[in-house]
Structures are given as C-alpha cells and as structure tokens.
Amino acid sequence: AQSVTQPDIHITVSEGASLELRCNYSYGATPYLFWYVQSPGQGLQLLLKYFSGDTLVQGIKGFEAEFKRSQSSFNLRKPSVHWSDAAEYFCAVGNPDDYKLSFGAGTTVTVRA
Amino acid sequence: DAGVTQSPTHLIKTRGQQVTLRCSPKSGHDTVSWYQQALGQGPQFIFQYYEEEERQRGNFPDRFSGHQYPNYSSELNVNALLLGDSALYLCASSLVSQETQYFGPGTRLLVL
C-alpha cells in the first residue's frame, strides 16, 4: 500500500523568503509523485509531477521539487515566496499498479508581509 | 479549453436524504475519479470510472455509488446521508493512458 506523510501542518514564511515543504512517501518501487495547491474554498491545482528521469522537476509559479529515493522524499521548494502563495499544499503518490492518488494531510502556508 | 467542471457548488441536505453530484471532465479526458475531502484533511479516493464502469473503489460504503455516461461525464450518488458525509467532494479527470489527474473546484456538501 502507498501512503504519504507531510510532517509540517503549518508553516509561516516572510514574503521574499525561501520555502520548503516536506513530503515523505511509502511505496516499494518508484512511485508517481505530485504536488497540488489548494486556495481557500477552491479545488486542487497541479504544481508539478515526477514519474521518472531527472530527479529535480520544475513546476508552475516558480516551484520545484526534488525526488530522493534514498530518503523516500519529494520536497517542494520555492526560492522567493509571494503573498499569493498563501494556500494549502498537498503531496500525493500514485503507482503503475493502482489508479488512485493517496494524499498527505496537507501543509498550510501563511505568508507574512 | 474548459477544465473540469462540477455542479452544484454548494448543497445542504438533511440526514437520511440522497444527493447527486455531477462532473464534466476536461476536454479530451475519458476517466473520472471522485474524492472526498473532509475539513482539515487531504482528499480520500472514493472510486474511478472508465468506459462507464467502476474501475477501482476506495474504502467507502455501498451508500456511495457512481455512474459514467458515454460523453464521459460522471455522477456521484450518496444515499442515506450521515452527518459525517459533510465534506468537499472533488472530481478529477485524466486520460486512461496517463497518470496525471486534474481536479475540478469541488462541491461542498453540508448534511444537517
């Protein structure tokens, strides 16, 4: 079975500062990994995804994530946060033998001026 | 290019009632998945439909059922509503040959 852990429930960051959100997954082989963002009252928007190949993936809105097999991690980063990045961020895992996505509990990001 | 659309946006029901939620997939997509997102939690997989058949089901009771039409749109039906069914219901569409799922804005259901 696959699962995802997002250790940080809430992160507060100053505008212009860097951001890193942690994600750890559990799956025996190489999983499919995703980061989604959810603004209040909205659905989920795909930020980026990893299936194979280069372990550093670029996404929209200036986000990037790095797949580290040895640490079973897929952390999300942004070098300089904007106030509009305040939202909830979800890491999700899928795999070739399954059709569902399994999500973490999410990390809420607050951006202070 | 229209994305995933869902209707209605909000819904209020009472315990024991039945509800139907609707989803139109992103243009060109043939697969629809449904998720339940309780307050403060991540989405939980309910089921996935492809070629008008339920292809996989998550850990949800039989009160939750679905349908997919020939135009790929889908419905989620919930019978005998419980207070605990209050949640945001998300529809996601994808191509059967691809793993990436694109989500709609959701339907917020409140059961009183």
Side-chain angles (χ1 to χ4, degrees), chain A residues 21-99:
Chain A
L21 303 182
R22 295 184 291 164
C23 171
N24 294 101
Y25 68 89
S26 174
Y27 180 65
T30 300
Y32 304 138
L33 294 162
F34 306 84
W35 275 99
Y36 288 88
V37 61
Q38 185 175 39
S39 297
Q42 303 297 314
L44 302 176
Q45 181 182 22
L46 179 67
L47 286 175
L48 46 78
K49 59 190 177 185
Y50 173 80
F51 291 165
S52 65
D54 192 348
T55 57
L56 185 63
V57 294
Q58 302 297 320
I60 63 171
K61 303 185 178 188
F63 285 94
E64 66 177 25
E66 186 172 12
F67 171 62
K68 292 186 176 180
R69 184 190 304 276
S70 61
Q71 298 177 20
S72 297
S73 69
F74 188 57
N75 294 349
L76 181 71
R77 298 192 292 255
K78 186 169 184 177
S80 177
V81 168
H82 186 261
W83 64 266
S84 60
D85 293 323
E88 187 150 22
Y89 292 79
F90 292 95
C91 181
V93 63
N95 73 76
D97 301 319
D98 209 341
Y99 301 121

Side-chain angles (χ1 to χ4, degrees), chain A residues 32 36 38 98-99 101, chain B residues 35 37 55-56 99-101:
Chain A
Y32 304 138
Y36 288 88
Q38 185 175 39
D98 209 341
Y99 301 121
L101 294 180
Chain B
Y35 292 79
Q37 186 180 17
R55 191 155 76 147
Q56 184 178 356
E99 297 298 327
T100 304
Q101 296 184 19

Side-chain angles (χ1 to χ4, degrees), chain B residues 2-5 23-27 29-32 71-74 93:
Chain B
V4 180
T5 60
C23 171
S24 291
K26 184 177 169 67
S27 178
H29 284 184
D30 54 12
T31 303
V32 173
N71 67 353
Y72 308 119
S73 67
S74 176
S93 74

